[in-house]
Amino acid sequence: MSDAPALTLRRPRPAPALISLVAMIDVLLILLVFFMVTSTYLNLDMIPAVSQDSGARQITDGERAQPLLVRIGADGQPVIRGKPVSLEQFDALIRSRLNTEPTLPVMILPTGVARTQALVSVMDTATKAGARQVRVIRLEARP
């Protein structure tokens, strides 16, 4: 027997396996798209943008303020219930309606050929008169 040391082979250790995040990211993106497509969105009109005045009368669920529908003609004149009115008459009408109905919604429906300045003038008159719920309605043509 010889006193020679035993010959051992040393192999380099393999590097530890890296955890691949690509598969997890793919799954998360698929879930994100799935939940975005299937979710329902809140109606943002449910969230009041302006706080109510403390002195204003609160309207209960049973009673609703009747909206004031304003049509803007091709000439830029506001029309209420088929009668053209001036901006001064419109201002006076809103102020008188707001005395009885503090949460009066004003809905503005411009015609397709009405100028933008006419729409802005009507909206400005309504807000200066004190209306807090001013909405512009746009009708879409059916295909």
Side-chain angles (χ1 to χ4, degrees):
M1 294 219 120
S2 74
D3 288 332
L7 194 55
T8 58
L9 294 174
R10 293 190 180 198
R11 293 184 184 171
R13 291 187 177 196
L18 296 175
I19 298 174
S20 176
L21 296 178
V22 175
M24 185 175 69
I25 292 172
D26 288 345
V27 170
L28 287 176
L29 286 175
I30 290 171
L31 287 174
L32 176 68
V33 170
F34 172 77
F35 287 122
M36 285 175 58
V37 170
T38 60
S39 65
T40 58
Y41 298 100
L42 292 176
N43 182 1
L44 294 181
D45 290 336
M46 296 186 308
I47 303 169
V50 179
S51 63
Q52 296 284 337
D53 288 340
S54 59
R57 174 178 69 92
Q58 297 293 327
I59 293 180
T60 61
D61 292 335
E63 60 177 321
R64 279 238 188 264
Q66 193 67 17
L68 177 64
L69 181 62
V70 181
R71 178 106 172 141
I72 300 177
D75 57 351
Q77 191 80 11
V79 178
I80 300 173
R81 294 185 183 167
K83 297 178 183 175
V85 295
S86 67
L87 290 177
E88 293 80 18
Q89 293 170 332
F90 179 58
D91 181 76
L93 176 68
I94 289 181
R95 288 182 192 274
S96 67
R97 291 275 307 265
L98 283 172
N99 287 334
T100 58
E101 303 171 71
T103 59
L104 173 72
V106 178
M107 297 185 180
I108 303 171
L109 177 63
T111 59
V113 293
R115 298 204 178 268
T116 306
Q117 182 59 47
L119 173 63
V120 171
S121 297
V122 170
M123 289 173 58
D124 192 38
T125 303
T127 53
K128 282 183 180 177
R132 294 182 183 225
Q133 296 183 21
V134 178
R135 295 195 175 120
V136 178
I137 302 169
R138 189 179 107 182
L139 299 178
E140 296 286 332
R142 291 186 181 174

